[in-house]
Amino acid sequence: MIVNKKSGTQSAKQQVQSSTLAARSSQLAAFTLLIIAGILLNSCNKFLDTKPTDSITPDTYYKTQEDLNRALAAVYDRLGDRRTYGSALYGYLAFSDEFYLKGQLTGYMSNTIDPSMLELNRCWEALYVGVERANMLLDYVDGAAVSDSSKNEVKGQALFLRAFYYFTLVDNFGAIPLKLTSTKSPTEPALPRTPVADLYAQIVKDLKEAEGLVRDITYYGYNGRISKTAVQAMLARVYLTMAGYPLHDEAKYADARAYAEKVIQSNMHALNPSFSQIFINLAQDKYDIKECLWEVEYYGNNQGIVREGGYVGSWMGLYCPNVDTGFAYDYVHATRRLYDTYEAGDLRRDWTIAPYRFAPSGTGGNLVKVTRTNWSATEIYERSAGKYRREYETFKPRDQDFTTINFPMLRYSDVLLMFAEAENQVNGPTQAAYDAINMVRRRGFGKPVDIADPVADLTAGLAKVDFFEAIQKERFRELSYEGIRKHDLLRWGNYVFTMQQMLTEYQTNMPTALSPAAIGQASRITSRSVLFPIPNSEIAVNPNISQNPGW
């Protein structure tokens, strides 16, 4: 089912018009702490003997459905921060073998990471703000004068988001403090690190509880809210992670298989027949709830009252210096490794990696005129990431930086590939595993997904280890530029080795005009890089936390 962002239920970023009013509730946690701090520090003052009647506190908020909607929007809000899924966690904090950042020799986009790095500190902060907002909502939702079904839905959403924020934190930073209630006083003691296994146990607990509380995706009609199948798909991803690095709990492959199968058997999702159409829909403000289980939502161009535009397509998009055509900065460039992994006839290659750019061809008024110009067959490293193409945007006027393009967080093809991977680990390369991967491959070759095809289908009779290698390659082809590649390499235990290979590749094969930035970015990935350093902003205020090895 495909619906337009601008129609249907009170959804998408139209709901964010009321969510933007969440600017007030989105800062409620910090505001409340200031109130509490003032009371604690100035309790001897006489004027505080009179209880304020016009202030916002948790006890006076969280009472109506509108209060809950705004508070929930505030929990979602941190997903779109530039330091999370605004650009960092699919870009400059997620270096892998799928891209390098053109011309970035120094600064935060050059992979020059240390505990004082501002963007890293703000990523940590944004994720923990999301946790705090979720905790506050969970603490007070039961006091709202709304139906139990409404409370349960909000609880389910908040539990999922808290779990996802913690999943992102532990995936990137390792053992981190676990906090399951909101801050009531600024004098609360700082928390030590929680063991990784305990963090994952809590993440699973929250997700399983959320599964029973949220609604089916067909109830919403769009995928900016978490649905039951989105929770199940995320459980499959979490269990696959637990089966690999760092826990290596191989029993979790069976759990991953079971939750991926739940999504498949729900019959609520299916592959879009066209790979490119998935991303055209994202640019044209259309929701495809069959293919996309969950998207981070953006709306508008940040030129009006509603300021919920994102950077998808401008920060990561194919080169274009013209705003009317769809400006893109040309940061994210393809690697030859990604380009070469596509087989002959695979249509995904020339959509994932743009075969053209918009080259300047003169000036007209204040705008640069551009001409669509193809790259030559030998120009591979020159090519931009191509999935998010601003030329398809329908929202006008366009802005240089801000776009309305949503970012895909969970797609059905990912679920099929997770099922195939887990099935192979549990039972070997069964027909069910072949069926799942072959559906994804057939779509990639432009074939009907339910009909066997000798060109597209994977070679029959593979050994278990060879089938696993095929799954790794298929995930690379299908999911590049969707913020999942580094995560996959980490859980498979070959992130550092892969990036050391990329360093050699850049040194050997890359044009000298482009190689210095790529070589520098890859060279900075060493054994310590499986985890980020704990930011100085946390080290400075938390005496109970230690630094990660090597930092």
Side-chain angles (χ1 to χ4, degrees):
M1 179 186 297
I2 297 175
V3 296
N4 196 284
K5 275 192 196 178
K6 299 177 179 65
S7 62
T9 60
Q10 186 199 9
S11 68
K13 289 303 176 183
Q14 283 197 319
Q15 185 178 36
V16 166
Q17 293 183 37
S18 65
S19 305
T20 307
L21 296 175
R24 180 169 55 178
S25 60
S26 73
Q27 298 174 13
L28 188 57
F31 181 62
T32 302
L33 288 181
L34 290 175
I35 293 173
I36 294 172
I39 292 173
L40 288 172
L41 296 174
N42 300 288
S43 58
C44 60
N45 290 345
K46 234 177 178 182
F47 70 88
L48 287 178
D49 292 340
T50 303
K51 185 176 181 180
T53 59
D54 60 348
S55 62
I56 299 174
T57 70
D59 291 329
T60 59
Y61 200 70
Y62 302 104
K63 296 302 182 185
T64 67
Q65 188 66 57
E66 185 179 18
D67 291 344
L68 297 184
N69 289 344
R70 290 179 178 177
L72 184 58
V75 185
Y76 274 97
D77 179 68
R78 294 299 81 198
L79 293 168
D81 190 286
R82 186 168 63 85
R83 288 88 178 186
T84 59
Y85 287 94
S87 60
L89 291 178
Y90 59 74
Y92 58 83
L93 291 181
F95 279 95
S96 75
D97 55 348
E98 66 191 336
F99 72 87
Y100 71 98
L101 295 185
K102 179 185 173 185
Q104 301 302 311
L105 296 166
T106 60
Y108 70 90
M109 289 202 294
S110 67
N111 202 27
T112 306
I113 290 175
D114 62 55
S116 66
M117 178 185 177
L118 178 62
E119 297 298 314
L120 187 69
N121 279 256
R122 289 184 173 174
C123 177
W124 170 281
E125 175 189 337
L127 294 168
Y128 264 111
V129 168
V131 168
E132 176 66 14
R133 292 176 182 178
N135 282 340
M136 184 167 281
L137 181 52
L138 290 166
D139 283 350
Y140 293 97
V141 62
D142 284 333
V146 301
S147 67
D148 287 344
S149 63
S150 293
K151 290 178 186 178
N152 286 338
E153 183 197 0
V154 170
K155 284 181 185 178
Q157 303 276 324
L159 284 164
F160 175 94
L161 291 169
R162 181 172 73 180
F164 181 76
Y165 287 130
Y166 272 129
F167 181 42
T168 305
L169 281 161
V170 69
D171 198 36
N172 285 286
F173 296 95
I176 43 93
L178 176 66
K179 191 169 185 293
L180 299 176
T181 58
S182 60
T183 300
K184 306 300 190 299
S185 165
T187 61
E188 290 181 13
L191 296 174
R193 293 178 135 194
T194 298
V196 169
D198 294 344
L199 288 164
Y200 273 101
Q202 182 63 47
I203 289 165
V204 168
K205 180 177 183 294
D206 279 357
L207 290 175
K208 285 187 173 181
E209 186 175 353
E211 181 189 9
L213 297 174
V214 299
R215 303 179 190 268
D216 291 336
I217 196 167
T218 51
Y219 171 85
Y220 300 114
Y222 67 102
N223 46 29
R225 284 226 176 189
I226 297 303
S227 64
K228 188 178 297 292
T229 45
V231 177
Q232 293 163 348
M234 188 55 64
L235 273 162
R237 182 179 289 180
V238 168
Y239 278 128
L240 270 182
T241 307
M242 296 173 75
Y245 173 86
L247 296 179
H248 301 290
D249 184 357
E250 294 188 5
K252 294 298 187 289
Y253 280 121
D255 296 307
R257 181 198 178 281
Y259 274 96
E261 189 174 43
K262 278 188 176 186
V263 179
I264 295 168
Q265 293 184 346
S266 73
N267 294 319
M268 291 186 181
H269 300 284
L271 295 176
N272 189 311
S274 168
F275 180 77
S276 60
Q277 191 62 45
I278 299 166
F279 304 96
I280 294 173
N281 287 338
L282 293 176
Q284 294 182 339
D285 294 343
K286 296 175 181 177
Y287 289 98
D288 178 355
I289 64 173
K290 291 289 190 180
E291 171 79 34
C292 294
L293 283 70
W294 179 32
E295 299 171 7
V296 173
E297 296 186 284
Y298 298 102
Y299 184 81
N301 56 14
N302 276 34
Q303 295 180 17
I305 296 174
V306 179
R307 295 188 173 255
E308 292 290 339
Y311 297 94
V312 183
S314 62
W315 194 89
M316 180 166 62
L318 62 95
Y319 175 65
C320 180
N322 183 291
V323 174
D324 281 353
T325 304
F327 188 95
Y329 285 97
D330 197 34
Y331 290 138
V332 184
H333 274 237
T335 64
R336 178 171 282 279
R337 172 174 289 204
L338 175 59
Y339 185 88
D340 288 346
T341 196
Y342 291 98
E343 301 163 51
D346 192 332
L347 304 179
R348 292 173 294 184
R349 187 195 70 185
D350 287 345
W351 187 268
T352 301
I353 302 170
Y356 61 89
R357 79 280 197 191
F358 291 99
S361 61
T363 58
N366 294 321
L367 293 175
V368 177
K369 290 184 179 180
V370 295
T371 300
R372 180 166 159 162
T373 305
N374 291 332
W375 295 108
S376 72
T378 60
E379 292 175 309
I380 305 302
Y381 291 104
E382 290 83 355
R383 304 185 186 204
S384 307
K387 280 188 171 178
Y388 311 103
R389 305 192 183 192
R390 297 197 64 189
E391 61 193 288
Y392 291 94
E393 277 183 274
T394 55
F395 194 98
K396 299 292 180 65
R398 292 183 176 131
D399 182 84
Q400 176 169 312
D401 294 312
F402 296 100
T403 83
T404 187
I405 302 173
N406 285 4
F407 187 78
M409 298 290 282
L410 278 169
R411 292 199 289 115
Y412 187 58
S413 58
D414 189 359
V415 175
L416 291 171
L417 294 175
M418 287 193 290
F419 174 81
E421 181 179 347
E423 171 71 3
N424 181 56
Q425 293 293 339
V426 174
N427 299 313
T430 63
Q431 188 59 50
Y434 267 98
D435 288 345
I437 190 174
N438 281 337
M439 289 178 69
V440 177
R441 288 178 56 82
R442 290 167 193 159
R443 195 259 301 276
F445 282 79
K447 309 289 187 177
V449 300
D450 294 322
I451 301 174
D453 186 274
V455 174
D457 287 1
L458 198 62
T459 302
L462 292 175
K464 181 177 180 179
V465 64
D466 295 325
F467 190 89
F468 176 58
E469 183 179 349
I471 286 288
Q472 291 177 305
K473 290 180 179 178
E474 205 59 43
R475 289 186 65 82
F476 195 24
R477 300 181 188 109
E478 176 72 17
L479 300 170
S480 283
Y481 307 132
E482 297 183 40
I484 195 68
R485 179 62 177 173
K486 179 184 175 184
H487 169 81
D488 278 348
L489 292 173
L490 283 169
R491 68 182 178 87
W492 292 329
N494 56 10
Y495 177 60
V496 176
F497 174 74
T498 297
M499 294 309 295
Q500 289 172 347
Q501 287 182 321
M502 293 306 297
L503 175 59
T504 301
E505 178 181 313
Y506 294 147
Q507 291 169 331
T508 306
N509 300 321
M510 202 168 183
T512 55
L514 297 171
S515 62
I519 289 170
Q521 291 158 20
S523 69
R524 297 181 185 108
I525 295 175
T526 63
S527 58
R528 69 179 185 176
S529 301
V530 294
L531 295 175
F532 287 139
I534 302 298
N536 279 350
S537 58
E538 181 69 18
I539 296 287
V541 299
N542 187 348
N544 299 319
I545 198 168
S546 58
Q547 186 54 272
N548 279 327
W551 296 103

